[in-house]
C-alpha cells in the first residue's frame, strides 16, 4: 500500500491522526497533515483506509501496490 | 399530492424527538433537489442526498455570503445578533479564510486534544459527582451536557474557573432565540465583548498557555498574524460555535444510546466501541438543526437540475447521513460502523474546525459515564423527550435520567 497526502486540501481536522497516529501527524505550526509512513505495514492498512475514507478534506489517497 | 408538486415548509417537523421526518427518504429518492419555503417566507433549494451535499459543501462557488441582497433570509427576525457581525471580522472564504483557519487550527490538532483529555476527564468526574449528590433523577443536559463544553472552552481561552458561569450565560443568551429578549441578547453580547477585550489585553501583558496567547504571539497582520479585534472575535466565535453544538450532542448521544438500552449494555461490555459509537451517534442525529445554507454565485447543476445564480441552497447533512446508497442499513444504529464518513461536521475548507475537540469531549463523556454510572437509564419513556424549539442548533429540552 502507498499513501499520499495533499496539503492544499487538508483542513487540519486531525481525523487521520486520531485514527492512525503511527502513519499521520500534524505540523505544529498550522495543523496540516504530515505523512510519517509512505508505505505502512499490513497491520495498519485497515486504519489507513478508514482515515482516507473519513478525511473531511479528501486529502488522503491510498493506492494498492501488488 | 406528491412531494415534487408542492412546496415544502422547511425545516420539516418530526413527530419523534430522535427520529427523522418520513419526508427525508422520499426526498432523497424522488426529489433530491427540492423547492422549500423557509420560516422567513423566502424560497430555497433543499439537498438531501449524500453525494450532492458533500459536493456542494466542498465547492467554493457555493459561498457563505448569505448577506447578498438576493439571498434568502432564514427567519423573519434575522439570524441571531452575532452571526453577521462576526462574519465581517473573520474572513469568510478564499485565501484569507484559509490563513485564519491555519492560525487557529494549530490549537486544534489531535495531539493537543489528547493532551487536554485528562483535564476534560476531571471536569466530567466533578460534574458527575454533583449529579450524584442531587439525584437520581437528574437532568443530564443541565448537569453535564451544558456545563462541560463551556468549562473546556474557558480553559482553552485561559479564562479563570471563577468566570465560567458568566460564559455559560453569555453563550446561552447569544444563541437561545426563545428564552431571551432581543435586549437581553444585545446586553449579553456587549458584556461578553467587553470581557474578551479586557481578557485579550491581559494576555497581551502576560501570555499563558492558551489559544489567545498563541494568536497574540503570532504577531500582528504585518507579521502574518491577526489584529486584536480578530483575536477577540475568534475567542467569542469559539464559544458560540463550540458550546451549544457540543452540549446538545452530549444529550442526544446519551439519549440515543439509552433509548434502546442494549446499546448501553454493549458499550459496558466493550468500551473499545466508544470511538465508533460516538461517530454513529453523530451520523444518526436526526435533530441536528437547520443544516448549512449556501448562496450560489454562478449558475450550476446538481443531480441534473440547473440552479440559477443567486439560488440559496440548504444542505441537510442529517438527511444525507441516512442515505441508503452510501451507508448500509442507514437507519440502524451500528456501534461498530467503520468507516463512517458522515457529514455532521460538514466537509472541505469550512468543515468544523473544532471537530477533534468535539469528538474528544463526546468520547470522554461517554467513557466517564459508563464507568461512573453503569446503571444509567432514561427516567421518562423515549416518546416524552422533547426537541428544543428555535432555529440555531437542534437539541433536546431536557434529558431526564436515573441510575
Ligand atoms: C458536536 C459538536 C459540533 C458540531 C456538530 C459542529 C458542526 C459544525 C459544522 C457543520 C460546521 C461547518 C459550518 C459551515 O460549513 O458553514 C462547523 C464549523 C465550525 N465549528 Fe463546529 N461543531 C461542533 C463543535 C465545535 C467545537 C467544540 C468547536 C470549537 C471550540 C467548533 C468550532 C467551529 C468553528 C470555528 C467553525 C468554523 C470553521 C470555518 O469556518 O472554517 N465546533 N461546526
Ligand atoms: S484527516 Fe484529512 S483534513 Fe484532517 S488532518 Fe488528516 S489529512 Fe488533513
Amino acid at each position: 500500500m502507498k499513501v499520499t497526502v495533499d496539503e492544499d486540501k487538508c483542513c487540519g481536522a486531525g481525523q487521520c491522526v486520531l485514527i492512525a497516529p503511527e502513519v499521520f501527524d500534524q505540523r505544529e505550526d498550522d495543523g496540516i497533515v504530515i505523512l510519517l509512513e509512505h508505505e505502512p505495514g499490513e497491520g495498519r492498512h485497515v486504519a489507513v483506509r478508514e482515515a482516507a475514507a473519513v478525511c473531511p478534506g479528501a486529502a488522503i489517497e491510498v493506492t494498492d501496490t501488488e | 399530492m406528491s412531494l415534487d408538486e408542492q412546496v415544502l415548509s422547511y425545516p420539516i417537523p418530526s413527530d419523534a424527538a430522535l427520529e427523522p421526518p418520513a419526508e427525508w427518504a422520499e426526498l432523497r429518492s424522488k426529489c433530491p433537489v427540492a423547492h422549500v419555503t423557509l420560516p422567513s417566507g423566502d424560497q430555497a433549494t433543499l439537498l438531501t442526498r449524500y453525494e450532492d451535499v458533500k459536493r456542494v459543501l466542498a465547492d467554493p462557488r457555493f459561498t457563505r455570503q448569505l448577506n447578498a441582497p438576493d439571498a434568502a433570509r432564514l427567519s423573519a427576525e434575522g439570524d441571531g445578533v452575532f452571526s453577521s457581525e462576526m462574519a465581517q471580522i473573520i474572513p469568510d472564504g478564499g485565501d484569507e479564510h484559509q490563513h485564519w483557519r491555519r492560525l487557529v487550527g494549530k490549537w486544534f490538532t489531535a495531539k493537543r486534544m489528547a493532551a487536554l483529555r485528562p483535564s476534560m476527564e476531571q471536569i466530567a468526574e466533578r460534574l458527575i459527582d454533583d449529579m450524584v449528590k442531587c439525584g437520581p433523577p437528574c437532568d443530564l443536559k443541565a448537569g453535564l451536557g451544558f456545563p462541560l463544553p463551556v468549562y473546556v472552552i474557558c480553559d482553552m481561552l485561559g479564562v479563570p474557573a471563577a468566570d465560567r458561569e458568566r460564559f455559560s450565560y453569555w453563550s446561552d443568551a447569544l444563541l437561545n432565540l426563545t428564552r431571551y429578549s432581543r435586549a437581553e441578547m444585545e446586553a449579553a453580547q456587549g458584556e461578553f465583548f467587553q470581557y474578551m477585550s479586557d481578557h485579550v489585553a491581559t494576555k497581551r501583558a502576560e501570555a499563558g498557555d492558551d489559544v489567545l496567547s498563541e494568536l497574540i504571539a503570532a504577531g500582528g497582520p504585518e507579521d502574518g498574524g491577526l489584529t486584536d479585534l480578530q483575536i477577540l472575535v475568534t475567542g467569542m466565535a469559539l464559544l458560540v460555535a463550540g458550546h451549544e453544538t457540543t452540549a446538545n450532542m452530549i444529550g442526544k448521544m446519551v439519549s440515543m444510546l439509552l433509548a434502546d438500552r442494549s446499546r448501553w449494555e454493549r458499550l459496558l461490555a466493550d468500551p473499545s466501541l466508544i470511538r465508533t459509537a460516538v461517530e454513529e451517534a453523530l451520523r444518526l442525529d436526526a435533530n441536528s438543526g437547520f443544516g448549512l445554507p449556501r448562496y450560489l454565485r454562478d449558475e450550476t447543476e446538481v443531480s441534473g437540475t440547473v440552479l440559477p445564480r443567486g439560488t440559496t441552497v440548504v444542505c441537510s447533512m442529517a438527511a444525507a447521513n441516512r442515505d441508503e446508497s452510501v451507508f448500509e442499513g442507514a437507519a440502524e444504529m451500528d456501534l461498530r460502523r467503520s468507516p463512517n464518513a458522515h457529514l455532521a461536521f460538514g466537509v472541505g475548507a469550512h468543515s468544523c474546525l473544532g471537530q477533534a475537540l468535539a469528538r474528544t469531549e463526546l468520547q470522554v463523556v461517554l467513557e466517564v459515564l459508563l464507568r461512573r454510572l453503569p446503571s444509567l437509564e432514561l427516567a421518562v419513556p423515549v416518546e416524552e423527550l422533547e426537541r428544543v424549539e428555535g432555529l440555531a442548533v437542534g437539541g433536546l429540552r431536557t434529558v431526564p435520567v436515573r441510575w
Side-chain angles (χ1 to χ4, degrees), chain B residues 108-125:
Chain B
F108 289 87
T109 61
K111 242 193 257 167
R112 198 101 182 214
M113 296 310 130
L116 286 180
R117 218 173 233 272
S119 69
M120 278 183 210
E121 280 169 13
Q122 249 178 27
I123 292 174
E125 293 273 1

Side-chain angles (χ1 to χ4, degrees), chain A residues 15 19 46-47 49-56, chain B residues 50 54 273-285 317 320-323 326-330 332-347 355 359:
Chain A
Q15 267 279 78
I19 295 168
V46 173
R49 280 185 214 287
E50 182 182 351
V54 303
C55 167
Chain B
Y50 183 90
K54 187 168 173 175
L273 296 178
I274 288 173
R275 184 180 72 82
T276 47
V278 165
E279 298 307 316
E280 186 67 343
L282 286 161
R283 183 184 73 84
L284 273 186
D285 175 13
M317 293 94 78
N321 281 339
R322 289 169 177 258
D323 191 331
V326 177
F327 298 99
E328 209 183 305
E332 303 300 316
M333 188 167 202
D334 172 2
L335 302 183
R336 289 179 190 277
R337 191 181 294 276
S338 166
N340 188 346
H342 63 74
L343 304 175
F345 293 113
V347 285
Q355 55 188 286
R359 289 190 156 99

Side-chain angles (χ1 to χ4, degrees), chain B residues 160-241:
Chain B
D163 293 333
R164 285 169 171 176
E165 298 316 318
R166 301 172 72 190
F167 270 67
S168 302
Y169 170 74
W170 291 329
S171 170
D172 203 31
L174 287 180
L175 282 179
N176 197 314
L177 299 175
T178 43
R179 195 185 311 167
Y180 301 94
S181 69
R182 182 140 196 122
E184 283 170 316
M185 286 169 95
E186 277 165 8
Q189 190 181 3
E191 280 171 34
F192 185 23
F193 187 91
Q194 189 56 50
Y195 182 99
M196 286 302 285
S197 156
D198 296 343
H199 187 59
V200 171
T202 311
K203 293 288 161 193
R204 190 170 276 294
E206 194 177 339
D209 183 19
D210 56 81
V211 63
L212 300 174
S213 299
E214 189 116 357
L215 290 172
I216 292 169
E222 62 288 352
D223 315 304
L226 303 175
T227 65
D228 264 14
L229 181 63
Q230 285 177 318
I231 294 176
L232 175 170
V233 172
T234 299
M236 294 175 79
L238 291 177
L239 181 71
V240 170

Side-chain angles (χ1 to χ4, degrees), chain A residues 7-40:
Chain A
E7 289 183 8
D8 289 335
K9 285 191 187 164
C10 173
C11 60
Q15 267 279 78
C16 53
V17 190
L18 289 173
I19 295 168
E22 308 86 0
V23 182
F24 304 100
D25 198 354
Q26 284 170 283
R27 292 203 295 245
E28 275 298 320
D29 52 336
D30 57 9
I32 298 304
V33 63
I34 307 173
L35 187 58
L36 301 175
E37 278 199 64
H38 296 262
E39 297 187 27

Side-chain angles (χ1 to χ4, degrees), chain B residues 10 36 38 44-47 74 290-294 312-316:
Chain B
Y10 188 84
V36 293
L38 302 181
T45 297
L46 174 69
L47 304 181
L74 307 190
F290 191 82
L292 291 175
R294 292 291 194 258
T312 299
V313 172
V314 177
C315 293
S316 172

